[in-house]
Amino acid sequence: MTPGLHVRQLHKRYGAFAALTDVSFTVREGEVLGLIGPNGAGKTTLFECIAGVLPADSGTVMVKGQQVPGTDRGAHLFFMPDGIAPWAAQTVAWALDFTMGFFEGDAARLPGVIERLQIEPLMRRSVGTLSKGERKRVLLAIAMLTPQPLMMADEPFDGLDLRQSREVGAALREHAAVGRTVFLSIHQIADAARVCDRFVLLSAGHVCGEGTLDELTAFARARRAEAEPDDPRRGRASPDGLEEVVLALT
Amino acid sequence: MASRSWWVMLLLIGPLVGMSFISAVRTYGELSGVNGTAAGVGEAFSPLIGIWAPTFSACELAAAFLLPFVAIRLVSGDRQSGALKLELQHPMPAMARMSVKGLVLLAAWVVASVPPLIGIVLWKIYGGTTYAPELAAVFAGHLLNAGLTVALACATASFTDHPSTAAILTLGVTVGTWILNFVAAVHGGLWDRAASYTPTAMVAEFQHGLVRLDAVLVACTLIALGCGLGAIWMRLGVPERRRVGESLTAGVGALVAIVVFARITASWDASEARANSFPRPDETTLARISGRLRIVVHLAAEDPRRVDLEQRALSKLRRARPDVQVRYAAATSTGLFEQTSEHYGEIWYELSDRKVISRATTADGVLGSIYEVAGLSAPALAEEDIFRGHPLAAEPMGAAALFYGIWPAAVGAAALWNRRRDS
């Protein structure tokens, strides 16, 4: 996979509080990348800064080697925030239609997205009357219809039940398989482990690790060994699974 | 069109306009009761002053107290719901986005202006006369006023995080313009000049058929500034310091434009009664006067005679002779303790080395003094130079049913139909 988007030394403060400190990582073309971290880690702030809807204090976002200012990032990526109810008075059909027209979405993709996310029964309901899970599926449908090469979704599984989470996860993987890069901010580790190819671990505004599960496991093992050189378990006991890795590194 | 606030405005504007129209038609009918000629009081029987000014005043109320909420909902609603974060990812320039919103709101206002148009149709049915240029002037004045309200509301809605804060700010500015009008009435001078650009003063002039180019250009500048500020603050991804800098630049640019536009003196009197002009023969005679006419008025700002003088004579004189120099010489705003001073109440007319002193504040009195100082005789007025008015003793038949019953029912039905169509 070739590098698609580089985030370099991103900083963001809210007054005295440092929300993001020296955040750097890479999103590779065609992968499903998961941004993982506990609540308050700065995941949403990072997504908003990358998308250009929140100004970063410093740092750069580069696409294919070219620095892209915040106002121009809409040409390269689409960001779907969490917890929004856009165009609440309008119907789901209107919202999807508007997405197709306003963002020049791919009309051929529409029937498949509607079927995959099971939103056909919601089409005539207004966005404001949907439940949290229904709204989340509609928002993901909007994001999946947009044409930008990179799709970013903040907490795509929030509000979904177990079955829906699995179905949405599968839909996102299929979406990436047809050539789109997907970058997800997730706090449910199990969902992230199921869907993502690679992970960026964020804690207290710092990147604590970046890589595949194997790479992060090795990194966590090395960190433990470094931190506890006299531990008799060194080299044997290691973080097992993404949850343990996240706990070890964040 | 799905905005509930717009439907509420549409619902309320019918009865508001209806109340004004019915009251105006009744008063006009009572004054025309004998169906007599209106010689000498012809201006009182101008439909512009008697019917359209009060009828369209309901639109001024709606523009001040209802329209801001519709505009704020449109702009703040997107911010509150998160739609703005999606829309901002489209490469469309923020100014274009804000202009589109502004145009949608103006279109909504035009639809809300249907009740006064119904009033015009009713007036014609009653047998009343209409004069298209003055009606167009009134409509244009209210459209500009709506544009100012929309621009202000868009700017405050973009500045603030919450719609209620935006509403308070918008109403605060509206109240501020009223205070400016009050201060101008007390102190006159530059305050008076500034107050002539407030929405209230501007609408009042349009309602009297006066279209001042400087007022139109200043209003357009303020509308552009409001939309510009709205666009600047809509861009959530731009650092705040840069947005402040851009706002200051836009503000200074608008101020320079306003100062330049304020020097323009061109204006048009669109009223059939020529309510803002001297009779044509007088204007021709005034144009013949060579040299610069200076007028010194010894009247305080709050003296009712000064208000009379301004409205009945000097405003018309400035249109006929933009080079006239008027100076107010009173030392206080009320003139209460100046009444006994030697020259208080006098109006001095100076041309070259000649000087005439008068105390008359009527149009005829002022013209007489000017002709005297210029050594000219007053021109004779022909019959066609005198507006005789259009008296009409009519009852507002069917207006109550239309504005209080049919209009709200139709709006309610349309809102319901719109809701069902969307659901």
Side-chain angles (χ1 to χ4, degrees), chain A residues 48 51-56 71 74-75 77-81 84-87 89-91 98 102-103 124 142 148, chain B residues 2 73 78 81-92 97 235-240 242-243 420-423:
Chain A
E48 291 191 343
V53 295
L54 183 71
T71 47
L77 58 91
F78 182 83
F79 163 54
M80 179 53 75
I84 62 170
W87 317 299
Q90 304 292 347
T91 62
F98 178 75
F102 190 65
F103 292 106
R124 291 184 63 79
I142 289 171
Q148 290 87 340
Chain B
R73 189 203 173 278
D78 278 356
S81 71
L84 182 61
K85 283 183 181 170
L86 299 184
E87 291 169 11
L88 283 176
Q89 296 178 57
H90 188 278
M92 182 187 228
R97 197 188 313 275
R235 298 174 304 158
L236 305 176
V238 174
E240 212 165 277
R242 189 173 142 197
R243 283 186 275 173
R420 280 192 185 158
R421 192 197 59 175
D422 284 350
S423 61

Side-chain angles (χ1 to χ4, degrees), chain B residues 30-42:
Chain B
E30 281 173 20
L31 289 170
S32 309
V34 291
N35 210 16
T37 60
V41 287

Side-chain angles (χ1 to χ4, degrees), chain B residues 127-142:
Chain B
T129 59
T130 52
Y131 185 64
E134 64 188 19
L135 278 173
V138 175
F139 191 80
H142 284 282

Side-chain angles (χ1 to χ4, degrees), chain A residues 1 20 44 47 57 72 89 141 166 195 218 224 242-243:
Chain A
M1 287 181 188
L20 298 173
T44 298
F47 263 36
D57 296 336
D72 295 346
R166 284 173 179 264
V195 176
R224 176 176 286 180
L242 186 59
E243 283 187 8

